[in-house]
């Protein structure tokens, strides 16, 4: 017997979020129960090493709408997010992080806007980021400014992974051949009718951030190399600049030779060697980034492996807690 498809799916990727689970469920369930229609919450455990998995199992025993999707290893936020999106069954699918910086109450307005205006995509846009640090705001502004310049104005400024997608948009994502797409760039690229809902960014409810500076830098590099060939063009322009500088230095060297002052020209030679070496290394590094992406694509390895999906069986109080907790041993 097949289960009826829910009207709404909410995908929540999480990694080591044990401390925030009670607050998340309290606020998210209150919002979704108030909608008065069928829904499911797809909690994607991205290889957590704390008590997140056992906590989800205990919560599911008392909340049948909660669905636990466990990945075999930590595959990264974007991989966990796409795993949940592609397995969600709702007519509309909302993705939201577990830290409650994006308020679940906004989901009601996103769903209302999608239905009233017949939109396939509704972005949650951070109208106020005063709760973030100055460094976080500065780096985020730089990231979105760069992405809008490289990809186009269709990328909404200050819109992260808090968004609503229609079933048609989710199915379009399923057709993409990319191994691990950067969704905040790919979703606008799809070209579906879209709108925005503004909200105030809040402080993390509990726990520590899972996006330190190293991961933010990695996301920026992944975004640029997966969606634009601009760095390769930068390498080309650097090469042309190097040729021009070398041409000038050749003229200077010839004139110095005729003037009998070639011995005093060693600083120019020293600078030229350093400049050309730096340009060559930079160009090789940029080419290496793209070659690495080609290599990864040729390997064809999945971005994630699903270990279990609680949707395969109904929730049974007590049994799910034992079965899912056993996977931590």
């Amino acid at each position: 017997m097949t289960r009826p498809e829910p009207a709404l799916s909410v995908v929540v990727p999480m990694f080591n979020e044990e401390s925030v689970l009670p607050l998340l469920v309290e606020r998210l369930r209150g919002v979704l129960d108030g909608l008065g229609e069928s829904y499911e919450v797809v909690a994607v455990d991205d290889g957590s090493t704390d008590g997140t998995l056992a906590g989800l199992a205990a919560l599911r025993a008392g909340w049948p709408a909660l669905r636990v999707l466990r990945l075999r290893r930590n595959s990264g936020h974007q991989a966990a997010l796409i795993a949940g999106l592609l397995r969600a069954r709702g007519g509309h699918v909302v993705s939201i992080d577990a830290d409650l910086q994006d308020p679940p109450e906004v989901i009601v307005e996103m769903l209302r806007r999608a239905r009233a205006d017949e939109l396939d995509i509704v972005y949650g846009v951070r109208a106020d980021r005063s709760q973030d640090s100055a460094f976080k705001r500065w780096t985020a502004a730089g990231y979105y400014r760069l992405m809008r310049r490289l990809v186009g104005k269709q990328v909404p400024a200050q819109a992260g992974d808090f968004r609503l997608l229609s079933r048609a948009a989710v199915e379009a994502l399923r057709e993409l051949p990319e191994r691990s797409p950067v969704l905040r760039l790919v979703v606008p690229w799809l070209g579906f009718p879209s709108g925005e809902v503004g909200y105030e960014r809040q402080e993390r409810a509990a726990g520590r951030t899972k996006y330190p500076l190293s991961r933010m830098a990695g996301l920026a590099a992944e975004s640029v190399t997966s969606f634009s060939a601009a760095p390769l063009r930068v390498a080309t322009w650097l090469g042309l600049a190097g040729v021009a500088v070398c041409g000038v230095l050749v003229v200077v060297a010839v004139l110095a030779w005729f003037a009998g002052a070639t011995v005093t020209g060693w600083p120019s030679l020293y600078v030229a060697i350093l400049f050309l070496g730096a340009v060559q290394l930079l160009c090789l590094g940029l080419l290496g980034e793209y070659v690495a992406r080609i290599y990864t694509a040729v390997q064809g390895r999945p971005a994630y492996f699903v270990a279990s999906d609680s949707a395969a069986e109904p929730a049974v109080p007590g049994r799910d807690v034992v079965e899912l907790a056993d996977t931590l041993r």
Side-chain angles (χ1 to χ4, degrees), residues 14-27 45 48-56 59 98-100 203-210:
M14 53 183 66
F15 174 70
N16 290 350
E17 297 288 5
E18 177 185 11
S19 58
V20 81
L21 281 179
L23 295 172
L24 172 67
V25 171
E26 179 183 354
R27 289 181 60 182
D45 177 57
S48 297
T49 56
D50 63 354
T52 298
L53 188 58
L56 288 172
L59 291 168
D99 55 18
L100 293 176
E203 291 184 357
R204 174 176 253 279
R208 295 186 302 174
T209 179
K210 305 306 184 298

Side-chain angles (χ1 to χ4, degrees), residues 23-328:
L23 295 172
L24 172 67
V25 171
E26 179 183 354
R27 289 181 60 182
L28 186 58
R29 186 172 187 178
V31 170
L32 298 179
D33 286 347
L35 291 175
E37 52 188 278
S38 60
Y39 68 86
E40 67 170 358
V41 176
V42 184
V44 185
D45 177 57
D46 188 23
S48 297
T49 56
D50 63 354
T52 298
L53 188 58
L56 288 172
L59 291 168
R60 182 174 179 266
W63 191 16
L66 179 61
R67 177 180 169 190
V68 181
L69 186 67
R70 183 174 68 89
L71 304 187
R72 292 190 180 278
R73 60 177 180 84
N74 180 246
S75 302
H77 180 268
Q78 292 295 300
L81 186 56
I82 196 69
L85 289 174
L86 297 185
R87 285 179 171 255
R89 302 171 302 184
H92 288 91
V93 183
V94 174
S95 58
I96 184 172
D97 288 338
D99 55 18
L100 293 176
Q101 288 191 284
D102 304 326
E105 293 76 12
V106 179
I107 294 176
V108 178
E109 176 62 19
M110 297 172 85
L111 189 60
R112 186 204 64 78
R113 179 82 192 278
R115 290 172 173 171
D117 299 340
E118 298 183 351
L119 301 175
D120 288 288
I121 304 170
V122 178
Y123 300 102
V125 176
R126 301 151 180 171
D128 183 1
R129 302 192 64 156
S130 58
Q131 298 296 336
D132 292 336
S133 65
F135 178 76
K136 177 72 173 179
R137 293 196 299 270
W138 180 78
T139 53
Y143 171 82
Y144 287 110
R145 190 179 301 112
L146 176 62
M147 292 305 105
R148 286 168 66 87
R149 178 177 290 273
L150 293 178
V151 181
K153 298 298 183 182
Q154 70 268 24
V155 178
Q158 303 300 328
D161 290 314
F162 185 28
R163 69 177 72 85
L164 178 145
L165 302 176
S166 68
R167 173 50 49 186
V170 173
E171 293 304 317
L173 285 176
R174 194 187 305 277
E175 297 298 320
L176 294 178
E178 294 183 58
R179 172 180 173 271
S180 54
V182 180
L183 292 175
R184 60 186 68 187
L185 301 183
V186 169
V187 170
W189 175 85
L190 293 175
F192 283 94
S194 63
E196 299 179 358
V197 172
Y199 67 94
E200 182 178 345
R201 180 82 162 169
Q202 301 179 0
E203 291 184 357
R204 174 176 253 279
R208 295 186 302 174
T209 179
K210 305 306 184 298
Y211 250 83
L213 179 59
S214 59
R215 288 202 173 185
M216 289 191 292
L219 176 64
E222 184 80 6
S223 300
V224 172
T225 56
S226 67
F227 228 87
S228 174
L232 293 178
R233 297 191 183 100
V234 170
T236 301
W237 285 108
L238 285 174
L240 291 175
V243 171
V245 170
C246 287
V248 172
L249 290 177
V250 167
V251 173
V252 171
V254 172
L255 293 177
W257 182 77
F258 278 114
T262 53
V263 175
T264 60
W266 69 266
S268 61
L269 179 62
Y270 177 69
V271 171
I273 292 175
L274 289 180
F275 176 76
L276 290 177
V279 168
Q280 289 173 349
L281 289 175
L282 177 60
C283 293
L284 285 175
L286 293 174
L287 288 172
E289 289 290 330
Y290 285 89
V291 171
R293 292 190 62 82
I294 295 172
Y295 175 66
T296 301
V298 170
Q299 284 180 317
R301 295 174 182 170
Y304 59 88
F305 286 99
V306 175
S308 62
D309 186 348
S310 64
E313 296 180 2
V316 177
R319 187 191 68 189
D320 287 347
V321 179
V322 173
E323 289 182 351
L324 287 178
D326 281 345
T327 62
L328 296 174

